[in-house]
């Protein structure tokens, strides 16, 4: 049966599968986060399997009106760059759509995290983390204006995710401050952003994880052992297109090299 929610989700799923850009948001854009997550849930029912979840910050000026500082979406694809060294990892995006590279830190979940009527403590969340890795989210959508339309549009299309590239594991991260987890992003050899884990909204990496645990619980979901969690952009969101190359320098924690390619069209 057709409905506004189903029509939006089917349009995005079909465009992603075909690898073809679309010119406008497919229908009336949801006004609330709850309505946008309903669209995403419909996508999750027909898509997948997904390898985990991405978290993104909502712009400060929108947080009060939307009632949240972060948003979430599925990780559409994971690319393993843990042992790639200097080799570039190729990531396909939809030509003519939206694509951006982001420097991130990714959590690998070591045990299921469920909520039983109360929030998890920071200590409990830490115990649930098996590893922390340097990473890059490749944001992507068939709609080139998706990011400009704001959080409800982003949520409505798989959280604006094309892939998460997982780099080397960070050694001894539990004994370090967030300020020591730094990143610099280059696109085609030009420095486009600097930052690190301390740039994330309140709570940093653990704040992103705590948000996601609660967000999923409200949707009848939970994090499972083996899931990946991309915790949010640390140097900004940097647009790219097929043919571009990016590099993210995490200092002594490693470097990721990425090559943006055009997704094949069905």
């Amino acid at each position: 049966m057709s409905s506004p929610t189903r029509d939006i989700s089917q349009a995005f799923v079909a465009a992603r599968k075909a690898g073809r850009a679309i010119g406008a948001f497919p229908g009336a854009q949801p006004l609330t986060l709850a309505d946008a997550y309903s669209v995403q849930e419909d996508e999750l029912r027909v898509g997948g399997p997904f390898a985990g979840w991405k978290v993104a910050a909502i712009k400060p000026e929108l947080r009060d009106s939307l009632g949240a500082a972060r948003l979430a979406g599925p990780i559409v694809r994971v690319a393993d760059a843990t042992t790639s060294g200097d080799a570039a990892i190729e990531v396909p995006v939809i030509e003519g759509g939206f694509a951006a590279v982001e420097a991130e830190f990714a959590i690998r979940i070591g045990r299921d995290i469920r909520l039983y009527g109360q929030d998890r403590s920071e200590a409990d969340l830490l115990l649930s983390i098996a590893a922390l890795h340097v990473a890059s989210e490749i944001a992507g959508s068939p709609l080139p204006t998706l990011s400009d339309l704001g959080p409800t549009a982003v949520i409505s299309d798989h959280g604006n995710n094309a892939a998460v590239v997982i780099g080397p594991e960070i050694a001894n991260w539990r004994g370090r401050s967030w300020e020591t987890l730094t990143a610099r992003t280059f696109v085609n050899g030009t420095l486009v952003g600097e930052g690190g884990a301390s740039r994330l909204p309140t709570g940093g990496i653990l704040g992103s994880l705590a948000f996601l645990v609660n967000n999923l619980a409200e949707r009848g979901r939970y994090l499972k052992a083996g899931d990946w969690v991309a915790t949010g952009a640390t140097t900004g969101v940097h647009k790219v297109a097929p043919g571009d190359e990016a590099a993210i320098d995490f200092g002594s924690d490693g470097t990721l090299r990425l090559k943006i390619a055009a997704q094949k069209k069905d």
Side-chain angles (χ1 to χ4, degrees):
M1 180 180 295
S2 179
S3 71
T5 294
R6 179 63 56 84
D7 291 345
I8 295 168
S9 68
Q10 287 184 341
F12 279 124
V13 169
R16 282 172 171 265
K17 183 178 180 180
R20 297 185 183 277
I22 58 177
F25 193 90
Q29 183 177 329
L31 297 178
T32 68
L33 297 186
D35 288 343
Y37 283 119
S38 293
V39 176
Q40 189 182 107
E41 283 294 326
D42 203 64
E43 293 163 345
L44 294 170
R45 280 190 286 272
V46 301
F50 300 104
W53 301 88
K54 56 82 59 88
V55 176
I58 291 175
K59 291 180 179 180
E61 61 269 25
L62 298 176
R63 293 174 186 175
D64 286 343
S65 61
L66 291 174
R70 292 171 165 95
L71 61 82
I75 295 176
V76 174
R77 172 178 174 244
V78 164
D80 184 356
T82 55
T83 59
S84 63
D86 288 335
I89 299 296
E90 185 173 282
V91 183
V93 300
I94 296 174
E95 193 165 18
F98 180 87
V101 62
E102 304 174 12
E104 304 214 6
F105 295 92
I107 292 167
R108 181 166 58 82
I109 300 299
R111 65 183 189 185
D112 294 358
I113 309 178
R114 297 176 182 262
L115 285 187
Y116 298 99
Q118 60 183 8
D119 291 346
R120 292 284 192 173
S121 68
E122 182 173 298
D124 195 32
L125 290 175
L126 282 167
L127 288 174
S128 300
I129 298 174
L132 183 69
H133 290 244
V134 301
S136 173
E137 182 189 3
I138 308 303
S141 169
L143 178 59
T145 59
L146 187 80
S147 185
D148 296 333
L149 294 176
T152 62
V154 168
I155 292 167
S156 294
D157 182 20
H158 302 76
N160 197 12
N161 179 259
V164 171
V165 180
I166 304 295
E169 182 176 349
I170 301 172
N172 304 316
W173 66 271
R174 296 176 189 272
R176 295 169 58 179
S177 68
W178 299 136
E179 286 74 15
T180 67
L181 301 177
T182 61
R184 297 191 300 158
T185 301
F186 299 81
V187 175
N188 298 326
T190 298
L191 178 65
V192 293
E194 297 184 80
S198 61
R199 185 171 172 175
L200 296 172
T202 303
I205 287 172
L206 287 182
S208 292
L209 180 58
F211 159 78
L212 182 60
V213 169
N214 283 278
N215 177 273
L216 294 179
E218 291 172 357
R219 300 159 65 181
R221 297 181 178 275
Y222 63 95
L223 283 168
K224 302 173 184 178
D227 280 351
W228 288 101
V229 177
T231 56
T234 63
T235 71
V237 178
H238 312 291
K239 287 187 177 182
V240 290
D244 286 340
E245 296 186 357
I248 305 174
D249 179 6
F250 294 94
S252 61
D253 295 312
T255 299
L256 287 178
R257 302 188 186 282
L258 312 169
K259 183 175 182 179
I260 310 302
Q263 179 180 331
K264 292 181 180 178
K265 294 182 175 68
D266 280 356

